[in-house]
Amino acid sequence: MPNRPVEIGPAGLHTARAIEYLRLVRGLTQHQLAARCTALGRPMANTALSRTERARRRCDVDDLVALATALGVSPTTLLLPLPSVSGDDRRGC
């Protein structure tokens, strides 16, 4: 029986979205963020980062820590859902 790939769950999907969102907010390309991770001692190709952002590749704990450091946030920030920007949120409700 062939092995099934492990599906990416809700936390993995939140993480993928958060990585892409924070990368874009900081004005970084995938190549630049991957290079930052590599400089931190966690070699990462921009193709691996692209697959991670699209939830086609699992983000292991070492990648998570390197990406968080390269983005200037805590690893927890990447694990939690992004805050929504609904009308209620803007009014403080």
Side-chain angles (χ1 to χ4, degrees):
M1 184 159 131
N3 290 340
R4 272 188 14 219
V6 178
E7 291 182 30
I8 297 175
L13 294 174
H14 294 308
T15 300
R17 290 183 194 118
I19 292 166
E20 180 181 29
Y21 173 79
L22 290 170
R23 176 181 61 77
L24 293 172
V25 165
R26 282 159 176 68
L28 297 170
T29 65
Q30 289 177 339
H31 182 77
Q32 290 169 323
L33 181 55
R36 284 185 179 193
C37 290
T38 299
L40 289 167
R42 181 66 178 171
M44 184 176 296
N46 62 310
T47 54
L49 177 57
S50 174
R51 293 187 72 216
T52 300
E53 287 183 354
R54 291 178 306 164
R56 300 286 184 246
R57 176 180 177 270
R58 296 178 64 85
C59 182
D60 73 15
V61 70
D62 293 319
D63 290 342
L64 180 75
V65 171
L67 286 162
T69 301
L71 290 166
V73 298
S74 73
T76 306
T77 301
L78 297 179
L79 292 171
L80 299 175
L82 296 170
S84 66
V85 186
S86 70
D88 289 345
D89 290 343
R90 286 189 295 258
R91 289 191 308 259
C93 298

